Amino acid sequence: MNQINRVAIVGGTHGNEFTGAYLIQKFAQFPDLVARPSFETITLLANPNAFAVGRRYVEKDLNRCFLKQDLQDPTLSSYEELQAKSIQDTLASNRDKQADFILDLHSSTANMGLTIILVNSHPLNLKLAAYLSQINPLVRVYRCSFKSIEENPFVNSLCELGFAIEVGPIAQGLLKAELFQKTEELISTVLDYIEGFNQGKIPSFKETLILYDHLSVVGYPKGQNGKIFGMIHPELQDKDYQALNPGDPIFLAFDGKTIIYEGTSTVWPIFINEAAYYEKGIAMCFTQRQQINI
């Protein structure tokens, strides 16, 4: 692609993640903040009903509703499933109006800092992520690539270019000025980069990138009754993006016993103790840290 004509900034995909939702409201009130000469910027509050009641979702996690087969299934009719189809119509169905680049704004109760979440390895996404991480040492890049677009259930499945921005730690249903401002600054930098791309003036940067590649999700320790019997060990809490070595503490059982990491290689956990993942039984995600040339 030689020209990006339409950029979509999406917030409130999860209704209790207020940073993105309120940024969308701010940008709607002050559109010049996200306007650039060479492309159109649109903003979208993805899940207004969930946002209105301060919940992650009404019936179903909206950011799991974008599987291609589900979008094409006329029998799926929950609020979020219908909302996903509406978002697809807005951002992807009309060739003249489709988004060329999607930024999906999220926040996390885990100590994620400023995280870029890549769902593919498109060269422009990688170069932009490398640039962002070079000019801002707080930026981390997490890649959870899917084998095909059909397997991607996220909003970003609607467009090859773009990524999610995940910021934290911040409680659900809360605004924190520092993270709000850092997210807004990151968005502005992304838009400036796209403007430079369209003008053929991409900033120079080191063409290497430190990536945290997704390996697996890790569940909480559970008994035969399906109930958890342990929690994140204090030595691991808030240690997102830090090395976890074999033998290191990972969980603390309710009886006071330490449960160690029994893997054979070092991993880098993220989304540690994310509140929204308790319903999914997920305690954290394991990643592999690597440096790549782009």
Side-chain angles (χ1 to χ4, degrees):
M1 180 175 289
N2 298 318
Q3 179 82 16
I4 293 173
N5 297 312
R6 196 169 190 236
V7 173
I9 304 175
V10 180
T13 302
H14 296 132
N16 59 0
E17 297 178 7
F18 280 4
T19 302
Y22 277 100
L23 276 169
I24 294 300
Q25 291 193 346
K26 178 176 180 176
F27 296 151
Q29 185 177 359
F30 305 104
D32 287 350
L33 292 172
V34 292
R36 297 295 185 275
S38 69
F39 58 87
E40 176 190 8
T41 304
I42 64 167
T43 58
L44 176 67
L45 181 62
N47 199 332
N49 284 9
F51 175 57
V53 295
R55 290 166 50 188
R56 183 174 174 86
Y57 55 82
V58 177
E59 296 182 79
K60 185 177 180 180
D61 190 333
L62 177 59
N63 212 33
R64 302 297 184 273
C65 290
F66 289 88
L67 286 173
K68 188 173 182 180
Q69 64 190 46
D70 293 342
L71 292 170
Q72 296 174 344
D73 187 344
T75 67
L76 298 180
S77 59
S78 73
Y79 168 71
E80 273 83 10
E81 287 164 341
L82 294 177
Q83 194 68 8
K85 294 174 183 178
S86 175
I87 292 170
Q88 181 195 36
D89 289 341
T90 301
L91 300 184
S93 294
N94 187 330
R95 180 167 296 181
D96 295 330
K97 290 290 187 178
Q98 70 183 16
D100 298 319
F101 191 102
I102 296 176
L103 274 179
D104 186 27
L105 310 179
H106 290 264
S107 56
S108 172
T109 64
N111 190 23
M112 295 292 285
L114 300 176
T115 292
I116 302 300
I117 302 180
L118 300 176
V119 296
N120 62 51
S121 296
H122 190 285
L124 180 58
N125 290 336
L126 290 174
K127 289 180 180 180
L128 176 50
Y131 173 70
L132 295 173
S133 62
Q134 180 175 312
I135 65 171
N136 189 339
L138 297 177
V139 171
R140 302 284 194 280
V141 183
Y142 165 48
R143 182 169 62 179
C144 56
S145 296
F146 296 90
K147 293 180 181 179
S148 68
I149 194 169
E150 285 79 10
E151 297 179 10
N152 182 350
F154 303 152
V155 173
N156 281 104
S157 70
L158 298 177
C159 186
E160 190 173 25
L161 296 181
F163 40 73
I165 296 175
E166 187 88 47
V167 300
I170 184 170
Q172 298 172 345
L174 186 73
L175 284 172
K176 189 182 289 185
E178 182 183 11
L179 279 179
F180 188 95
Q181 291 171 328
K182 287 180 178 178
T183 306
E184 185 175 359
E185 290 168 3
L186 190 58
I187 293 167
S188 181
T189 303
V190 170
L191 298 177
D192 289 344
Y193 184 95
I194 295 172
E195 178 67 21
F197 171 81
N198 283 346
Q199 302 293 344
K201 300 176 182 178
I202 295 178
S204 60
F205 59 94
K206 296 178 182 177
E207 295 193 353
T208 59
L209 172 62
I210 294 176
L211 273 178
Y212 294 84
D213 270 319
H214 180 83
L215 292 176
S216 62
V217 296
V218 179
Y220 286 96
K222 293 183 178 180
Q224 293 183 349
N225 60 4
K227 296 182 179 180
I228 67 172
F229 62 82
M231 51 198 157
I232 302 296
H233 196 280
E235 292 185 21
L236 181 59
Q237 181 63 47
D238 299 325
K239 299 294 179 60
D240 301 76
Y241 293 109
Q242 296 188 31
L244 179 69
N245 299 303
D248 286 347
I250 185 170
F251 295 113
L252 181 65
F254 296 152
D255 63 7
K257 294 180 180 178
T258 293
I259 300 172
I260 64 170
Y261 167 54
E262 296 181 347
T264 58
S265 61
T266 299
V267 293
W268 284 258
I270 64 173
F271 284 113
I272 299 171
N273 209 15
E274 164 59 51
Y277 291 171
Y278 272 79
E279 68 177 30
K280 306 176 190 297
I282 296 173
M284 69 196 76
C285 296
F286 280 170
T287 70
Q288 178 64 53
R289 185 181 188 271
Q290 64 169 320
Q291 180 172 298
I292 65 170
N293 295 317
I294 56 174

